[in-house]
Each structure stands twice: as C-alpha cells, then as structure tokens.
Amino acid sequence: MRKKIALVGAGNIGGTLAHLIGLKELADVVLIDIAEGMTKGKALDLAQSSSIESFNSNINGSKNFKNLKDADVVIVTAGFQRRPGMTRDDLVEKNSIIIQKVGKEIRKYCSRAFVICITNPLDAMVSILQKSSNLKTNMCVGMAGVLDSARLKYFLSKEFNVSIEDVSAFVLGGHGDSMVPLVRYATVSGIPVPELISLKWTTKKRINEIVDRTRDGGGEINRLMQTSSAFYAPASSAIAMAESYLKDQRRILPCAAYLNGEYNVRGLYVGVPAIIGKKGVEKVVELKLKAEEKKLFNNSIKTVKTLTNLAQKLIKK
Ligand code: APR
C-alpha cells in the first residue's frame, strides 16, 4: 500500500512539498489548509502534471483535518511567513495559536505519524506542536538544520568552485541569527575547510563572510522577494527528512530535535545532528564542542529557551 503524507498548510512551501513528493513518488498527498480553494486548486494542478511527469501519487486538497487520518508523515507549514524587516521571532504570537490548533488535530487523527514542523519561529513552534499533539518526542521534529546546512554547503561550493556533491557541512543551534555553523566539520571531498584555508584555497575572512551570509540566508531571500520568504530549499529540506524516515535511510540530518540531557540540555528542542530512521529520531549525535563553539551554542540555546517559554505562555492566555 502507498504511504500517505499530509501537508498542513498549502501555501508556497506546502505546494512545493506536494510537487516534490509527486516527482519522487514518495507517497499519496493530502493538502490541508483553511484556504480550501487553494488546496483543491493546487492539488488539481499538481495531479495534472502527473500525466507529463509520469508519477502515480494521488494528490487531494481539503480544509477538513479529518484527512489527517492514516497519514504516515505530516509536514506542518500552517501560519504566517515573515516579511522584509521582520525576524522569525516576530511571528511567535500568531503562529503559536495556529500550531497549537494543528497539534490538537494531529492528536485526534494521526497520533502515530512522524511529524515535521517548518512553521517559524521554528524551535519554539516544534515544541508547541509536540505538546499539543502529545506525540512522542522522537516522532516530532523541526526542519531547520538541513536548510541552514544546505545554504552553507552551497556558498562553500561556490567559493571553492567545486561540485555541491562534494561539499559536506552542518549547522548547530536554533534556526535564527544565533545558529552555529561548524566550519571545523565542513569538508570538500573529506578535506576539512580549515585545511583548505591553510592550502590557500580561501581565507579565514572569506569563510567568516560565508558564515554570516548563512546566518542571514532566509533574510537575504526575503529582502529580494519582498512579498514572500524562501520556499524551494525549505521544502527540499523537509523532504530529505521525510524520505529518511519512510525509507529507513538512517541519514544523519541536522534538525530541531528534543534534547533529553544531550549537550547538557533537557526538555528543549534545539538544532543538532540526528539519525532519522523508521523510529523517527533514533539518536541525537553528540559532538565535543570547542570552548568558542560551546559559547555560541549555549547562547543559541538561551535564545531558543526564551522564545519557547514565551510561546508556551502565549498559548495559555
Ligand atoms: N490551518 C491551516 N492552514 C493555515 C492556518 C490554519 N489555522 N493558518 C494559516 N494557514 C495557511 C495559510 O492559509 C497559507 O496557505 O498556511 C499557509 C502558509 O503559506 P504561506 O503564507 O505561503 O507561507 P510559506 O512560505 O508556505 O511558509 C509557511 O513556514 O518557513 C516557514 O516562516 C515560514 O512560518 C512560515 C511557514
């Protein structure tokens, strides 16, 4: 039997997710959104593309959350996106309430699904989603690290003028200005970036600029597009996570995972590398951080904690 992926939110990211799922024949899709016409129109448009792209996924749209039933994976993008000049954190008030509602529907209809949250501010929203859905913490994750790392990888591939396939990199911490790109672990065909600096392929200054550009990755796109935030790379990132779960690939993907003592953090969702397999988040990968990295990571945790607490308060009001 085919798998089923429910997409809560049929906006820019939701539509792109549905398209990718179809092209990859990952599963049947249902788009769920308060804007019902949008779900049905996009579903029909995408379904018609299947006759050219030759894929066999069923794609449907509805405003009814009953359609969450039997979903193996749920990807949540419901909520507001940021506009130029806004930070992700500015969305906390409106999106907390929406995410709480979505979580309750997940609890009612598909409490055994693997759920990926994309709605921002990510680290706080995934925490609200887990609490309101009562999902097991390993079955509820946030998509951020794959995207932030993808941005870092792309900038590095351009800097070195090498294939993106040969670049590996990842980012720790919250999805925001406090994220911690770990340059020490970034490699090109196994050669660490610090070594490439000493081989004069680049300079420390250039790498620092790339790190800053990665931190501002979403903001840069927002300023260019003005009326929308990024959606292609965010959608691809969540699909990588969903695919690793559905196919039990056990990929190590940086994502907002629930920490239960790892990195000396308890009871908080933070961006860390994790193995995603058939049981959801199967293992959080713990790294030994250097003093400077630890400082940045702890600072990021502090920011995530403050925002998560604020979101919890807002939904209690
Ligand atoms: N239930 C279901 N859908 C909702 C609800 C709700 N209560 N509230 C809003 N939505 C829908 C909107 O109708 C809209 O179609 O969420 C969709 C959001 O789509 P876009 O505005 O196009 O935003 P998108 O670019 O897809 O980003 C969604 O992901 O990366 C984050 O910051 C981004 O928080 C934003 C989210």
Side-chain angles (χ1 to χ4, degrees), residues 48-312:
Q48 289 166 359
S49 80
S50 72
S51 62
I52 305 157
E53 301 289 354
S54 302
F55 61 79
N56 289 297
S57 302
N58 290 321
I59 305 183
N60 291 296
S62 172
K63 66 172 180 193
N64 196 330
F65 278 91
K66 267 191 197 155
N67 290 287
L68 284 173
K69 204 166 169 289
D70 299 327
D72 298 285
V73 172
V74 183
I75 307 180
V76 179
T77 60
F80 291 86
Q81 44 165 303
R82 55 182 175 148
R83 292 282 180 247
M86 285 170 86
T87 66
R88 293 184 182 90
D89 300 0
D90 293 334
L91 300 168
V92 68
E93 197 157 338
K94 285 175 171 170
N95 285 352
S96 296
I97 292 159
I98 293 172
I99 292 300
Q100 186 189 32
K101 276 191 198 144
V102 173
K104 285 183 182 164
E105 301 287 357
I106 290 173
R107 181 178 193 153
K108 196 147 96 197
Y109 294 113
C110 58
S111 58
R112 296 164 76 91
F114 180 59
V115 177
I116 303 168
C117 182
I118 304 186
T119 302
N120 274 314
L122 193 269
D123 309 273
M125 292 306 102
V126 65
S127 168
I128 302 281
L129 193 61
Q130 188 275 325
K131 282 219 159 63
S132 51
S133 62
N134 206 28
L135 287 161
K136 286 188 181 153
T137 51
N138 61 307
M139 291 298 277
C140 184
V141 281
M143 187 296 293
V146 178
L147 172 62
D148 296 328
S149 309
R151 287 175 173 153
L152 179 56
K153 278 190 222 175
Y154 170 72
F155 296 142
L156 290 172
S157 82
K158 288 290 140 195
E159 175 66 9
F160 298 125
N161 194 20
V162 296
S163 165
I164 188 86
E165 271 180 68
D166 292 332
V167 182
S168 163
F170 69 88
V171 167
L172 281 184
H175 186 45
D177 302 336
S178 68
M179 70 178 79
V180 189
L182 283 185
V183 172
R184 191 158 64 91
Y185 286 103
T187 63
V188 176
S189 261
I191 311 166
V193 166
E195 208 162 311
L196 292 169
I197 298 175
S198 52
L199 291 170
K200 304 223 179 331
W201 279 45
T202 184
T203 60
K204 203 156 186 234
K205 181 168 173 279
R206 281 291 303 142
I207 295 296
N208 287 341
E209 284 164 8
I210 285 173
V211 163
D212 286 344
R213 193 170 175 201
T214 303
R215 283 207 183 97
D216 182 45
E220 181 179 357
I221 292 172
N222 222 213
R223 290 191 295 279
L224 288 166
M225 298 211 283
Q226 292 288 316
T227 53
S228 160
S229 49
F231 54 96
Y232 292 114
S236 292
S237 306
I239 292 297
M241 295 165 70
E243 197 169 6
S244 191
Y245 169 74
L246 287 172
K247 298 185 178 168
D248 192 24
Q249 290 172 331
R250 297 182 56 79
R251 293 193 62 192
I252 297 185
L253 296 170
C255 53
Y258 188 82
L259 298 189
N260 213 350
E262 299 90 349
Y263 292 93
N264 286 326
V265 178
R266 205 170 284 278
L268 195 69
Y269 274 93
V270 187
V272 288
I275 297 178
I276 298 185
K278 64 174 185 287
K279 293 185 191 139
V281 171
E282 299 196 3
K283 185 181 172 63
V284 166
V285 179
E286 270 194 276
L287 300 167
K288 268 214 162 70
L289 300 179
K290 292 194 166 166
E292 180 59 18
E293 294 161 351
K294 212 180 251 173
K295 210 169 116 195
L296 291 171
F297 187 59
N298 287 342
N299 178 42
S300 186
I301 287 167
K302 225 158 104 193
T303 314
V304 170
K305 213 179 253 172
T306 309
L307 203 63
T308 304
N309 288 343
L310 173 66
Q312 305 286 5

